[in-house]
Amino acid sequence: MMTKTYPRSNDLQTVYLNAVVKDPSIVVGDFTVYNDFRSDPRLFEKNNVLYHYPINHERLIIGKFCSIACGAKFLFNCANHTLRSLSTYTFPLFYDDWELDKKDVASAWDHKGDITIGNDVWIGYEAVVMAGVHIGDGAIIGARAVVTKDVAPYAIVGGVPAKEIRKRFSPEVIKRLQAWRWWDWPVDKIRESLPFLTSGDLEGLSANLKAVQKS
Ligand SMILES: CC(C)(COP(=O)(O)OP(=O)(O)OC[C@H]1O[C@@H](n2cnc3c(N)ncnc32)[C@H](O)[C@@H]1OP(=O)(O)O)[C@@H](O)C(=O)NCCC(=O)NCCS
């Protein structure tokens, strides 16, 4: 759990997300950041996690070291008027007017489940992630993408609906990065590895992994 809110002094537009999220059904890993230059980024729960009501018991789970750009949205199930019905009008929601049983209110919408985001995922400006979607480690979601299906690890996706543009690395490199899970290393080892991580030096990172395994 991050103990401070702002990773950069004098930048009130960027927050460590798990320092500001209060809803227990939103779980965010350490170092994941959200930037918002229009609204207060501390209002992420209210402005970005939409149609997310306790009655559905759905979770938004975001891994470590993710970067979430301004206006990205997570659209939960209460937005999905049920397609089982012959009408999309949410009759069960207006139980008083239609003299219906209040306990059936959740039948007004379809249930697609949690949204889960891996580690080291970059979500672009105003992207929308739909209910039930899983985004793999290392993926990139393009600006204004609408993500309706699962995204493979280290895939770059874009468009409406989001389609794979390409993978970030070869299958061999992706396999190694997924096995190494650098985001779970002790913070001091990650700090030591920054020259390799930031320059794309896979062999340098591999050498540091050996040091992590020995420690
Ligand atoms: C998705 C993204 C990472 C791709 O970057 P890239 O690999 O350098 O992209 P390119 O410009 O080489 O484009 C590759 C292809 O993807 C398409 N593409 C790029 N971005 C796209 C997007 N957001 N939505 C749909 N298609 C996109 C391009 O049209 C191109 O298609 P083509 O191969 O048919 O010609 C980038 O375009 C993007 O959206 N970044 C997010 C930016 C952002 O939101 N920043 C917020 C601040 S953190």
Side-chain angles (χ1 to χ4, degrees):
M1 173 79 179
M2 305 310 290
T3 49
K4 63 176 189 173
T5 301
Y6 300 102
R8 302 197 307 159
S9 50
N10 301 325
D11 173 8
L12 302 184
Q13 296 182 341
T14 306
V15 291
Y16 283 128
L17 208 43
N18 71 7
V20 301
V21 158
K22 295 185 182 65
D23 182 340
S25 65
I26 304 177
V27 180
V28 183
D30 284 348
F31 297 97
T32 284
V33 287
Y34 175 59
N35 170 268
D36 199 318
F37 48 82
R38 285 200 212 96
S39 306
D40 185 339
R42 292 175 300 175
L43 301 179
F44 175 84
E45 275 169 312
K46 176 175 175 282
N47 292 339
N48 304 73
V49 186
L50 307 183
Y51 304 100
H52 183 241
Y53 305 124
I55 191 172
N56 270 1
H57 306 290
E58 283 147 359
R59 295 170 305 163
L60 170 60
I61 300 170
I62 305 177
K64 300 177 187 172
F65 294 97
C66 294
S67 312
I68 304 175
C70 184
K73 303 267 193 304
F74 302 87
L75 229 67
F76 273 92
N77 288 340
C78 299
N80 288 337
H81 294 201
T82 182
L83 302 185
R84 283 173 285 113
S85 169
L86 298 179
S87 164
T88 56
Y89 190 78
T90 51
F91 289 105
L93 208 54
F94 307 120
Y95 45 82
D96 280 342
D97 275 357
W98 297 94
E99 297 171 2
L100 300 171
D101 195 335
K102 190 178 172 182
K103 76 172 173 35
D104 295 331
V105 67
S107 67
W109 50 86
D110 289 333
H111 295 261
K112 296 200 174 182
D114 299 342
I115 295 176
T116 56
I117 316 284
N119 304 281
D120 192 20
V121 172
W122 175 29
I123 301 183
Y125 176 74
E126 289 191 343
V128 175
V129 181
M130 302 296 287
V133 162
H134 172 71
I135 298 178
D137 296 325
I140 297 175
I141 310 302
R144 292 206 159 146
V146 176
V147 187
T148 58
K149 292 194 164 63
D150 290 355
V151 176
Y154 289 93
I156 303 176
V157 301
V160 183
K163 302 272 186 222
E164 190 166 308
I165 295 170
R166 64 166 183 280
K167 293 280 196 312
R168 288 179 58 196
F169 306 115
S170 69
E172 180 53 31
V173 172
I174 292 173
K175 208 166 130 194
R176 292 174 82 185
L177 287 171
Q178 283 194 278
W180 296 351
R181 299 184 62 83
W182 63 262
W183 44 82
D184 288 335
W185 297 0
V187 171
D188 61 326
K189 292 292 172 210
I190 297 175
R191 175 70 192 84
E192 270 174 39
S193 306
L194 290 187
F196 311 119
L197 272 172
T198 56
S199 68
D201 179 349
L202 201 69
E203 298 317 318
L205 193 63
S206 168
N208 267 18
L209 170 68
K210 288 185 188 111
V212 171
Q213 286 166 336
K214 275 191 203 140
S215 64

